[in-house]
Amino acid sequence: MSKFIFVTGGVMSSLGKGIFSASLGRILLDEGFSVTILKMDPYLNVDAGVQNPFEHGEVFVTEDGAETDLDLGHYERFLNQNLHRINNITSGQVYLSVIEKERKGEYMGHTVQIIPHLTGEIRSRVTKVAEASKADFVIVEVGGTVGDIEGLPFLEAIREFWAEDPANSIFAHLTYVPYLETTDELKTKPTQHSVGELRKIGIQPTLVVARGVKELPADQKRKVALFCGVPADHVISLPNLTSVYKVPNYLQEQRVGHLVLSSFGMAPRTAETETPWVRFTWTIDQAKTPRRLAIVGKYVQLNDAYLSLREALHHGAWATGCDLHIDLVDSEDVEKQGVRLLDAGKYDGILVPGGFGKRGIEGMILAAGYARTHNLPYLGICLGMQVASIEFARNVLSIADANSQEFKPESKDLIIYLMPSQKGVQKLGGTMRLGVYENTITPGSRVQEAYGASTLSERHRHRYEFNNDYRTAFEEHGMRVAAVYPEEDLVESLELENHPFFVGVQFHPELSSKPLQPGPLFVAFVKAMLAHEG
Ligand code: GLN
C-alpha cells in the first residue's frame, strides 16, 4: 500500500514545485524507501509534444516515448530512475478519455460531470501509477497555482483521495514569500491567503514550504504556522540556492524527511548521512577548471528551452572537475553577423542542440563548420547532427545544394530526408520517432570510447534522418558512422576521424543523463573541452 504526498503551489507559478517534489523524493529514497513521482498538468493539451519551447520550455521525452512536461526530467535526475508515460497526467488526457467513454455509452445513461466522473478518472490514474510502481511513496505534483480555474478538478480529486483514506495522504503547499526592499521585510500575507484558498476547498496542508529570495526566520515561521494551522517546525524555508541539487540537503537540515515520515507514523529505514547524493553535491563546488561553451540554437530567449541539455552538460562538467560556463548564442545572429561571434578563442567547444523549422539553420551550419575547421570540440544533437552533415556535404564533398528535406524540400541533394515511416503522417501530436532505441556502436569510435560498450540505448524525438545514399562518400572523406539502428539501418551517429572531438548524434543523450550517472557523451565532450587549449 503506497503513501501519497500531494504537492500544490500558491501565489504564483515557477516557484520550483518540480524541484521540491523531486527533492522530497530524493530524501525519502535516501531514507530507505521506494518512490515515484507523477505530475498533473491542468492545461488542455493532451501532451507537451506540440507546445512551443518558448512558452513552456523543453519537451521531455520518456523512454517509452511520451512527450511530457519538463518536470519529469527533474524527477528522473533526482530519483536516478526512469519514469513512464503514466507519470504525466494532463487535463487534455482525462477529458479526452471521459468523453470517449461517454461516446461509447460506458456511463450507462448517467449525466457525465466533473465530479465524480472527471475526478474519478484522475484518481484512477493516480492509483494506476501506485499499482504499477508499487512504490512506498507516490509524490503527486499538481501543476499551476491554487485558484486557477483549470486546476480545480485536480485539487478536488486529491481532496477526495485524502478523504477516502486520510491516514495515507498528506499535502505539502509551496508558496512565495516576497521580500520588500523598502521596509527590509519578508511578507507572509500572500502565503496566508493562498493557504486560506486551499482550506476553502477542503485541503489542509501538512507542510508549508516558503520559497523566496531569503531564508524565512523563526519568528516569521511561527507567524505562518499560526495563520496556516500547522506546527512551526512544519513551515519550511526554501530560499534560492546556488544549485537545485542542493535542495534535498537544505530541506534535510529542517528535518523534512522526519516530518513527512512521522506524519505517516513511520521512521527512516537507514541512518546514512553521507549518501551518494550528498557526496555528489560536494563535487559541484569542487569543479574549478574553467571552460566556456557556446550553445548555438534558436530557442535562446527562454532558459528552460534547453533545460535537460544544460543539466547534462553540468553533470559531465562536475564529474570531470570542470567549471563550465555556457553561453546561449542565437543561431540567427550567427547567420547575420557570421562566425566572428564565435571567434577569438572565446570558446572551448560548440554545441548545436535539437530544434525544428528553418529559422536560424544557416547560422547553425556555419557554427558546425567553424568547429570542424578550427579543431574545436563539437557536439551536435539531433538537429545538430543534421546541420553538421549538411555542412560536411557542402564544404568537404562540394555538394553545393546539400540540405534537409525539412528546410529545402526541392533541393537535389537531400542529405537529411524524411524517414519512410514518417511519409504521409498528417497529425502533429505524438507522431515522431519517439523514445528509446538500441543502437550498435562502431568499434574504435569516439562514441564507443565514451560509452565503453558495444551498444547504447538513448531517446529520440525527430522525423528526419541521414540519407544512406551519401554514406559511402561521407566515410571515404573521414566522417565515420559511429552508431546505427540495425533494424532499419539508420545512421544514429557521425563523427570526424581527424578531429579532437566532432560528434553528431541523432538521439538526445541529455534526456537520460543524471547527476549520479552522467551521460557518457557529455563526460567525453567536457573532457575534450578540458583538453582544448585556446
Ligand atoms: N527537426 C529535426 C527532425 O525532425 C530535428 C529534430 C530534433 O532536433 N529533435 O528530424
Side-chain angles (χ1 to χ4, degrees):
M1 179 68 198
S2 303
K3 311 279 183 208
F4 296 88
I5 304 167
F6 297 103
V7 179
T8 55
V11 183
M12 63 186 201
S13 60
S14 304
L15 288 181
K17 287 197 299 290
I19 298 289
F20 173 76
S21 304
S23 300
L24 193 54
R26 183 72 244 169
I27 289 170
L28 293 167
L29 273 180
D30 285 342
E31 305 224 307
F33 298 92
S34 58
V35 178
T36 192
I37 312 184
L38 85 93
K39 172 87 192 276
M40 292 173 166
D41 278 308
Y43 49 67
L44 284 171
N45 304 65
V46 171
D47 62 35
V50 290
Q51 288 180 339
N52 188 338
F54 282 127
E55 219 175 290
H56 281 275
E58 76 170 6
V59 175
F60 189 77
V61 182
T62 54
E63 281 194 331
D64 58 358
E67 297 172 283
T68 72
D69 186 83
L70 52 77
D71 277 320
L72 275 272
H74 293 311
Y75 307 161
E76 290 201 354
R77 289 187 284 270
F78 279 70
L79 297 183
N80 200 37
Q81 75 194 29
N82 294 331
L83 299 174
H84 311 283
R85 180 178 295 277
I86 58 173
N87 292 73
N88 193 192
I89 310 176
T90 66
S91 281
Q93 285 168 19
V94 285
Y95 277 99
L96 193 64
S97 95
V98 166
I99 291 169
E100 273 168 2
K101 282 185 193 163
E102 187 274 338
R103 291 290 81 186
K104 286 189 206 143
E106 287 183 24
Y107 295 108
M108 316 291 281
H110 290 295
T111 308
V112 181
Q113 296 181 296
I114 304 276
I115 307 171
H117 300 103
L118 200 75
T119 52
E121 179 69 30
I122 295 170
R123 287 166 56 189
S124 77
R125 284 172 185 243
V126 175
T127 308
K128 198 163 126 194
V129 173
E131 284 169 359
S133 66
K134 297 190 178 62
D136 297 320
F137 287 96
V138 179
I139 299 174
V140 181
E141 178 192 346
V142 184
T145 308
V146 170
D148 295 347
I149 291 177
E150 58 186 12
L152 278 173
F154 289 96
L155 294 175
E156 168 59 15
I158 63 175
R159 189 202 62 79
E160 290 172 11
F161 216 100
W162 161 81
E164 218 160 70
D165 188 7
N168 285 315
S169 312
I170 63 166
F171 300 95
H173 187 59
L174 211 82
T175 79
Y176 186 59
V177 179
Y179 170 67
L180 214 59
E181 238 171 80
T182 43
T183 53
D184 186 25
E185 264 183 310
L186 286 164
K187 307 301 283 183
T188 61
K189 189 75 80 190
T191 299
Q192 297 169 31
H193 281 300
S194 127
V195 171
E197 196 73 28
L198 256 189
R199 289 161 116 185
K200 238 189 272 171
I201 48 183
I203 294 175
Q204 167 63 50
T206 309
L207 294 179
V208 176
V209 184
R211 286 278 296 118
V213 288
K214 288 194 170 199
E215 195 180 314
L216 195 68
D219 58 327
Q220 295 278 72
K221 280 189 174 181
R222 280 194 295 275
K223 188 169 165 195
V224 172
L226 185 66
F227 280 99
C228 300
V230 297
D233 65 345
H234 286 56
V235 178
I236 310 300
S237 169
L238 185 53
N240 299 341
L241 304 178
T242 51
S243 165
V244 293
Y245 298 116
K246 294 180 181 172
V247 171
N249 309 354
Y250 194 88
L251 294 174
Q252 274 303 58
E253 283 168 21
Q254 295 168 82
R255 304 179 74 225
V256 167
H258 164 79
L259 294 175
V260 167
L261 290 177
S262 59
S263 61
F264 290 110
M266 298 163 79
R269 287 184 184 150
T270 60
E272 197 190 350
T273 48
E274 272 185 30
T275 58
W277 187 268
V278 168
R279 283 198 299 269
F280 147 68
T281 56
W282 295 338
T283 67
I284 297 175
D285 300 318
Q286 284 159 5
K288 297 278 190 248
T289 317
R291 282 296 181 269
R292 224 176 168 88
L293 167 73
I295 295 185
V296 183
K298 64 186 271 199
Y299 311 118
V300 293
Q301 286 94 330
L302 185 75
N303 265 342
D304 278 358
Y306 300 119
L307 183 66
S308 293
L309 182 59
R310 283 166 170 278
E311 295 305 318
L313 284 161
H314 286 301
H315 303 158
W318 294 324
T320 51
C322 173
D323 179 15
L324 185 65
H325 183 90
I326 301 174
D327 276 353
L328 288 183
V329 180
D330 191 333
S331 52
E332 261 186 319
D333 290 346
V334 179
E335 194 167 313
K336 288 183 199 135
Q337 300 169 41
V339 287
R340 66 177 177 80
L341 287 184
L342 309 168
D343 227 343
K346 244 198 293 193
Y347 295 110
D348 304 290
I350 291 181
L351 190 149
V352 175
F356 296 85
K358 200 174 165 179
R359 191 170 61 78
I361 286 299
E362 292 301 323
M364 297 178 205
I365 293 175
L366 285 175
Y370 183 84
R372 181 177 61 78
T373 51
H374 287 75
N375 280 336
L376 207 54
Y378 177 85
L379 183 59
I381 294 180
C382 205
L383 181 63
M385 173 180 122
Q386 299 178 353
V387 294
S389 310
I390 296 169
E391 192 279 325
F392 188 80
R394 285 185 193 170
N395 300 321
V396 178
L397 305 182
S398 306
I399 307 176
D401 199 29
N403 219 314
S404 161
Q405 195 169 353
E406 184 179 6
F407 317 128
K408 193 181 175 196
E410 70 282 9
S411 158
K412 293 189 307 298
D413 285 288
L414 294 175
I415 310 297
I416 306 297
Y417 70 166
L418 202 58
M419 281 184 270
S421 59
Q422 289 290 329
K423 291 199 178 118
V425 170
Q426 301 278 340
K427 269 194 189 172
L428 275 186
T431 54
M432 278 186 262
R433 180 170 182 245
L434 290 166
V436 114
Y437 288 89
E438 190 179 88
N439 292 170
T440 309
I441 304 177
T442 307
S445 62
R446 293 208 198 296
V447 174
Q448 193 208 30
E449 200 182 311
Y451 281 84
S454 56
T455 60
L456 63 89
S457 290
E458 296 283 9
R459 305 175 203 185
H460 293 68
R461 182 172 186 253
H462 65 121
R463 285 186 207 285
Y464 297 87
E465 61 159 313
F466 182 78
N467 183 344
N468 276 331
D469 290 350
Y470 298 92
R471 195 155 154 179
T472 314
F474 267 57
E475 298 216 277
E476 280 171 2
H477 289 81
M479 184 72 99
R480 137 173 87 200
V481 173
V484 292
Y485 177 57
E487 276 81 346
E488 293 175 48
D489 199 25
L490 299 183
V491 171
E492 300 267 37
S493 172
L494 286 164
E495 61 181 44
L496 279 179
E497 275 164 31
N498 297 315
H499 189 286
F501 189 95
F502 191 101
V503 177
V505 291
Q506 193 57 76
F507 45 82
H508 289 269
E510 72 275 23
L511 298 174
S512 62
S513 179
K514 300 180 177 67
L516 300 183
Q517 278 172 283
L521 270 179
F522 295 98
V523 175
F525 181 47
V526 175
K527 278 186 185 160
M529 285 194 275
L530 286 170
H532 175 257
E533 280 158 30

